[in-house]
Amino acid sequence: MFTLNLVIIIRLQVPRLALRRRLSALKGGVSRPAAWRHRPISFLCYILSVSTLRPLACRVALYRSFPTRLLSRAWGRLNGVELPTWLRKPIYSLYIWTFGVNMQEAAVEDLHHYRNLGEFFRRRLKPAVRPLCASSCLTSPADGRILHFGRVKNSEVEQVKGVTYSLEHFLGPQKRRCKDSSSSSSFRDDLLSSPDSDLFHVVIYLAPGDYHCFHSPTDWRVELRRHFPGSLMSVNPGVARWIKELFCLNERVVLTGQWQQGFFSLTAVGATNVGSIRIYFDQELQTNTPRYSKGSFHDHSYIADQTVKFAGEGGVALQKGESVGEFNLGSTIVLLFEAPKDFSFNLQPGQRIRVGEGLGSL
């Protein structure tokens, strides 16, 4: 591994003009140097995309061989180390400058208040800075950037433009909605409760500098939690372009249930250094454990579990804007939901969005 890393470093030592020409020749590659604060991810994308390194399959295999789960657990322990009071402001200030954090929105702006990096990452916001859009039936569950949105076609969903993943692999097996469903019906059709409805999706990427908590995008009831242990590869769009079904490979927590229009799901996708996904109303959930069976998943029904707070006959009732959970760093939220066919999004690909802003309307 040391020899391989040394070869990579040596190959990166090329004149800047030659580097630009080589990168610009790559479809979807980086054509100019990124801002300093984005260089760690850009550097990773560069390693995966340099044409002189190895064929694509080898580059992906090399990246997937990295012990990202182990590194994420180590990062989690580092986040919990209490920092001396005198050291907190310099470290947090460097992070704020690197990732463009807006501390004026934080409920506590004093950097000395946060005892460790974990507390700083999970900082709360002032109540007034994230008003809910009353005119929209569906609002953003997180701060971040819109990677993709639209109708689900052929039971395939785009994680970034041109790169798809299987809906069935992402959500896992589902119970059929109708007894009359034919054996030839698609996985997408099995999720729908009405022939007059369609299935839609939204993918929101949370960068390291974003607010790390996520909220309920609408009024709905959560009936099932499905936890998929898995890899913890970066979900940065630059990496997602290279790895098909990245969201199906990474660890994720899928919450499924019902809203006024039918099927609804919210999925928190883990990533490198985001091994810890917390759901506030589910204390039993444990993510990024040392051992797991590849391809396995674990279900927990909230309908049958009377020990869960707020659990009732129909599951866990959530109101629009209510806090649902948190990441320990940036990651991705995927919404999949049933809605009338005339549902329309009020979004643009790549736009920045914040908690409570409208996603679409009926």
Side-chain angles (χ1 to χ4, degrees), residues 198-266:
D198 213 335
L199 195 64
F200 299 84
H201 79 285
V202 183
V203 181
I204 303 174
Y205 169 69
L206 291 72
D210 287 325
Y211 169 57
H212 300 314
C213 299
F214 49 94
H215 298 244
S216 175
T218 190
D219 297 335
W220 65 303
R221 284 186 175 272
V222 186
E223 299 173 349
L224 178 73
R225 178 257 290 166
R226 176 168 287 171
H227 173 214
F228 291 84
S231 301
L232 288 173
M233 293 178 283
S234 172
V235 293
N236 180 274
V239 177
R241 291 188 185 97
W242 292 105
I243 304 178
K244 183 177 173 62
E245 295 204 335
L246 171 63
F247 293 166
C248 298
L249 297 172
N250 269 14
E251 182 158 15
R252 60 198 181 279
V253 177
V254 183
L255 302 178
T256 58
Q258 297 288 311
W259 74 316
Q260 60 180 346
Q261 307 300 334
F263 174 82
F264 195 93
S265 74
L266 181 153

Side-chain angles (χ1 to χ4, degrees), residues 31-45:
S31 60
R32 55 183 177 274
W36 186 92
R37 68 185 191 186
H38 300 305
R39 282 181 183 175
I41 294 298
S42 299
F43 181 76
L44 174 60
C45 296

Side-chain angles (χ1 to χ4, degrees), residues 90-141:
I91 289 180
Y92 300 149
S93 295
L94 177 62
Y95 187 92
I96 290 168
W97 177 71
T98 302
F99 296 107
V101 178
N102 184 0
M103 283 302 294
Q104 294 181 348
E105 296 179 336
V108 179
E109 297 184 38
D110 182 10
L111 298 180
H112 296 101
H113 169 80
Y114 303 100
R115 294 173 298 178
N116 52 54
L117 286 167
E119 288 189 1
F120 178 72
F121 294 148
R122 299 187 299 271
R123 62 193 177 277
R124 297 298 187 266
L125 301 182
K126 297 171 183 174
V129 300
R130 294 294 184 272
L132 287 176
C133 178
S135 62
S136 179
C137 63
L138 196 64
T139 59
S140 176

Side-chain angles (χ1 to χ4, degrees), residues 128-197:
V129 300
R130 294 294 184 272
L132 287 176
C133 178
S135 62
S136 179
C137 63
L138 196 64
T139 59
S140 176
D143 287 9
R145 182 156 58 94
I146 301 294
L147 291 189
H148 207 273
F149 62 91
R151 298 174 188 267
V152 175
K153 300 177 182 178
N154 302 321
S155 299
E156 292 274 331
V157 186
E158 286 196 293
Q159 60 188 24
V160 292
K161 186 174 179 59
V163 181
T164 63
Y165 58 93
S166 165
L167 186 61
E168 184 172 5
H169 291 165
F170 183 70
L171 294 178
Q174 303 286 316
K175 293 182 179 179
R176 290 184 180 272
R177 295 279 171 180
C178 307
K179 293 182 180 179
D180 297 333
S181 296
S182 65
S183 58
S184 61
S185 63
S186 67
F187 183 85
R188 166 191 163 279
D189 294 337
D190 290 341
L191 297 177
L192 301 177
S193 60
S194 169
D196 298 324
S197 299

